[in-house]
Structure formats: C-alpha cells, structure tokens
Amino acid sequence: MTTIDDYQRSCEQLFVAGGNAAVRRAAQEGLDELGPHPDLYRWLALGHAAEDDDDHDDLAEEAFQAGLALDRDHLGLLAGYAELCLRADSFEYPGRAARAVTLSKRLKELAPRSAEADRLAAAEPWARRGYWDDLRMRAAARTVMGRDTEAQARALAEDLRQGGDAATRDVKTEDRDAVVRAATLKALSGPWNAPVRLLGRHRTAAWALSGILCFLTNTILRQSGVISSVSAWGFLWCLPVLIVDRRFAAVRKEAEAQHIAALEAALAEQR
C-alpha cells in the first residue's frame, strides 16, 4: 500500500521540477486513497499557490484551511498559509491579508527557530515591496531568461558540432537538461535556423546593438522632420531578438512539460 511518505516524496520532486499541476494531482490522489491528511493538504495548497493566480489562491486557501482543521499546529501549513496571506492584496482580499498577522504570530509562538519561521521571516519584507521592487524583480527575471537562452544556444552549437548524437542518444526523460537539449536540437537545427542560433548565442550583444540602432533611427527621423517625437519604427530593430527569445523560450516550455510528464509517470509507477 502506498504511504503518506511516498506521496510526499512524489509531491516534493514534482514541486522542485516546477510541475504545479502534477503536484496537485499527486496530492489529490493521496487524499482520495488515504483520506484527509495535513501533509497532503499542504502539498495541494502549495501546488495551487505556486500558480500565483486569484482562482488558484482561493483553492489554496481552502486546502490550507482543510489541513489546519486536522492539525492547527502544523508548521508547514501555517507557514505556507501565512505566505499566501502576505501576498494577498489588502484592498481586494482584506480578510486574507489580515490573517497573515495571526498565522505568523502562531508560527513564531510554536517554533520561533524553525526552518518554517525563518522562511516566513524572509518572505515578510518581500511582501511589503513597492513599485520599484516589482520593477527590479521583473528585470531580474528577464536577465535570467536571457542567460537561459544564451546557455541553450551555446549547448545547441556544441551539439551541432558533435553531429547531434550526444544530445539525442539515450535521452532520459526524467533529466530536465537532457530533454531541453534534445528538444532544442530537434526544433532549431537546420540551415534555416542559423540566424536564430547566431542571435541566441550573442543575445546580450544583439540587444545592445538593437538598442543603439533604435536610438539612432529615432534621432535621424526626428532631425529629418519625419517625426516630432519617438516613433515605433525605431523599435523594429528589436523585433528579431524578441522573436529569437520567444523561439528558445517556447522550446524550453514544451521540453519542460515533457520532462514533468515523464517524471510524474515514473513516480506514479514507484508508488
């Protein structure tokens, strides 16, 4: 018989892999098979909360409350629910936002030196972030995405130099990097994708050059009297790099979905 620990291990691995829907399926399967359990409600709630969507936040709150009804002192449930409430908009969800104080106080009373309390303490300043903090977060996310694209393009160039065998031979679908690498080779090889691969490898330089060309184009158009202010024509220089970013990101997204599906199937067989 499958145990709570088996389901928890599955949920944890799927959560780390970014498979939020798969986490929810595994947690719900455990609840259906083994009955109500606070640990499974925690994973179900986290699987919803990770989506960062209003409808999913409502379902996450229901799961947190169901878990706490079984164990009001469960540290993981208290920490996760408090983080969800900290993230809530105080104008749209005043009740949920207010509950963050009560949950945080309860957690710190029960286990002030626990890993859950430390995680919540780290989340509290971020929950009070302002507009400029959000801008910095989005800029950091774009930087990470750019680095992923460049790394993906360089790995693709290396695979093409080796004839593609290294990336496609004996690919284990549970290995995320191997799946992404094989999918990139399949989708972006061929002479017609050479410009995409070139811009991907030199994405940072391409963006810098595009910015300079945008500025020069708008300056020339203003000085020549064609336009009186900033024109959209100058920004057309950014279009090729945007297309390249989307191509690589689409391949990553599809490959990661395959990886999570394979991981979910493998974990289900082990249970």
Side-chain angles (χ1 to χ4, degrees):
M1 179 179 175
T2 309
T3 66
I4 290 290
D5 288 341
D6 294 329
Y7 278 110
Q8 285 213 86
R9 279 193 294 271
S10 295
C11 289
E12 183 176 8
Q13 291 184 54
L14 291 166
F15 189 78
V16 170
N20 300 326
V23 171
R24 298 193 297 271
R25 285 192 292 269
Q28 189 60 58
E29 184 181 339
L31 289 167
D32 293 340
E33 180 182 345
L34 303 176
H37 194 282
D39 289 328
L40 293 177
Y41 275 121
R42 171 178 173 263
W43 283 114
L44 180 61
L46 291 177
H48 281 296
E51 300 287 359
D52 197 14
D53 171 86
D54 287 346
D55 290 338
H56 280 285
D57 284 351
D58 292 342
L59 294 170
E61 184 166 32
E62 290 178 11
F64 278 128
Q65 290 175 347
L68 287 170
L70 297 172
D71 183 357
R72 65 186 298 270
D73 295 336
H74 192 288
L75 300 184
L77 285 167
L78 288 169
Y81 193 8
E83 287 184 51
L84 178 73
C85 294
L86 282 171
R87 196 175 71 196
D89 188 309
S90 58
F91 292 101
E92 288 190 57
Y93 303 98
R96 184 180 297 167
R99 280 190 284 277
V101 177
T102 305
L103 291 163
S104 177
K105 181 179 178 181
R106 178 66 178 163
L107 176 61
K108 290 171 183 176
E109 286 175 351
L110 288 170
R113 299 181 182 276
S114 65
E116 290 83 359
D118 290 342
R119 190 177 74 240
L120 182 60
E124 285 173 343
W126 183 242
R128 294 190 291 269
R129 67 188 183 275
Y131 175 75
W132 294 111
D133 295 314
D134 283 336
L135 284 181
R136 284 196 292 271
M137 181 180 178
R138 285 194 286 270
R142 285 194 294 270
T143 300
V144 170
M145 185 187 73
R147 289 174 181 167
D148 287 344
T149 295
E150 288 187 346
Q152 192 178 355
R154 286 170 183 153
L156 173 58
E158 180 64 26
D159 292 336
L160 288 171
R161 277 195 295 270
Q162 296 178 7
D165 292 338
T168 56
R169 189 191 308 118
D170 299 327
V171 174
K172 294 182 179 180
T173 52
E174 295 87 356
D175 185 341
R176 175 195 175 277
D177 292 339
V179 172
V180 170
R181 198 159 175 163
T184 304
L185 179 64
K186 180 180 179 180
L188 298 178
S189 59
W192 53 90
N193 281 313
V196 175
R197 297 194 296 269
L198 177 64
L199 287 175
R201 288 197 305 275
H202 304 287
R203 179 187 179 277
T204 302
W207 269 116
L209 180 60
S210 297
I212 293 170
L213 290 172
C214 287
F215 175 78
L216 290 175
T217 300
N218 280 316
T219 301
I220 291 170
L221 289 173
R222 282 199 309 272
Q223 290 179 349
S224 62
V226 176
I227 60 172
S228 58
S229 60
V230 177
S231 167
W233 289 105
F235 294 100
L236 290 176
W237 291 108
C238 296
L239 191 58
V241 194
L242 283 171
I243 292 172
V244 168
D245 276 351
R246 288 183 178 275
R247 290 286 304 277
F248 277 97
V251 172
R252 283 199 303 273
K253 185 176 181 180
E254 183 179 352
E256 286 167 357
Q258 294 172 3
H259 158 63
I260 289 168
L263 179 61
E264 184 179 14
L267 290 170
E269 287 181 3
Q270 293 173 14
R271 293 200 295 267

